Amino acid sequence: MKRPKTIIGGILCGLVCAVSVFLYTQSVQSEAATARAEALARYGGEQLEVCVATRDIPVGDMVDGTNVTVRLWVADLLPEDAARSFTDISGRQATSTILAGEVVSMKRFEESISTVDVPVGLSALSVPAKDVQTIGGALCAGMCVDIYATGVSTDLLAENILVISTSAESSEKKAGASISWVTLAVKPGSVEEIIAASQKMELYFVLPGSAEKGSAE
């Protein structure tokens, strides 16, 4: 006889908990909506429905109902090309990071066109690298470096090589991002040698100091 009473008591407790959670959720949502309405009222002006990210959307992720919603926003505070309709962006991939709470702009879906400026007579070549091999990750476009290949032995591979770009400088990289590749401007005749060395050995990029008159050699 006690078992049915225990089961019924457990069910009732479960129902009470479920109702409590529901009421709490509704209360939180109501408070958030009220606070938002008050904030909008303080700014005044026309309010428009726009698409807003509900969580961070990294580059390459697709926009759908799980990461974007439609909300009212003060027209004067909207970014240029704000997405007004969810159907305009649903299923599209972000080409730049969209942060949670951000009004989604159509510019977040534009394909970036990357151009590489290669000096006349040279070839652009990308090789793998890590922070420790690239002057602590400080290597950047415009620097001229000496390249050493190390394995069984360490040898000078090339001198005064122009750095065109690094992975840390590419678009949408967060501040402090680690380097994973380096693009160099090298002589066409050196391409094969540098590729072979990068596959079998580790490359280190050395930034020579500026020569000063009277300095010891």
Side-chain angles (χ1 to χ4, degrees):
M1 294 298 292
K2 291 183 178 181
R3 187 182 181 106
K5 291 182 179 180
T6 303
I7 294 174
I8 293 173
I11 293 173
L12 290 174
C13 288
L15 289 173
V16 170
C17 289
V19 171
S20 298
V21 170
F22 175 77
L23 291 175
Y24 174 74
T25 302
Q26 290 295 104
S27 175
V28 171
Q29 291 178 345
S30 177
E31 290 177 0
T34 299
R36 178 174 176 75
E38 290 176 351
L40 290 173
R42 283 198 300 270
Y43 284 106
E46 183 184 4
Q47 297 179 22
L48 302 173
E49 284 192 343
V50 291
C51 297
V52 180
T54 56
R55 63 175 176 81
D56 290 351
I57 305 175
V59 175
D61 274 20
M62 189 175 295
V63 170
D64 55 34
T66 66
N67 51 31
V68 168
T69 188
V70 176
R71 294 177 183 169
L72 282 174
W73 212 270
V74 177
D76 291 342
L77 300 180
L78 290 176
E80 186 178 355
D81 294 332
R84 297 285 306 281
S85 173
F86 179 71
T87 56
D88 291 341
I89 60 175
S90 180
R92 298 184 65 174
Q93 286 187 324
T95 56
S96 59
T97 301
I98 305 172
L99 301 178
E102 175 184 339
V103 175
V104 181
S105 170
M106 298 305 295
K107 290 184 177 181
R108 294 300 192 187
F109 305 99
E110 294 179 354
E111 293 291 340
S112 58
I113 301 175
S114 178
T115 59
V116 177
D117 188 12
V118 185
V120 177
L122 300 178
S123 299
L125 171 64
S126 292
V127 293
K130 300 177 182 178
D131 282 352
V132 69
Q133 298 164 247
T134 55
I135 318 172
L139 201 66
C140 62
M143 290 182 174
C144 288
V145 297
D146 296 340
I147 306 174
Y148 286 81
T150 182
V152 177
S153 61
T154 299
D155 302 295
L156 176 62
L157 195 62
E159 293 181 278
N160 198 34
I161 300 300
L162 175 66
V163 176
I164 296 178
S165 64
T166 72
S167 59
E169 296 174 309
S170 62
S171 61
E172 294 308 309
K173 290 294 182 180
K174 294 181 178 179
S178 298
I179 289 179
S180 58
W181 53 260
V182 175
T183 299
L184 309 165
V186 301
K187 294 179 180 179
S190 301
V191 170
E192 185 176 347
E193 180 184 9
I194 295 176
I195 291 176
S198 70
Q199 295 298 309
K200 299 176 182 178
M201 310 170 77
E202 288 190 329
L203 303 184
Y204 278 78
F205 303 87
V206 178
L207 184 64
S210 300
E212 296 182 4
K213 294 182 180 181
S215 59
E217 295 184 1

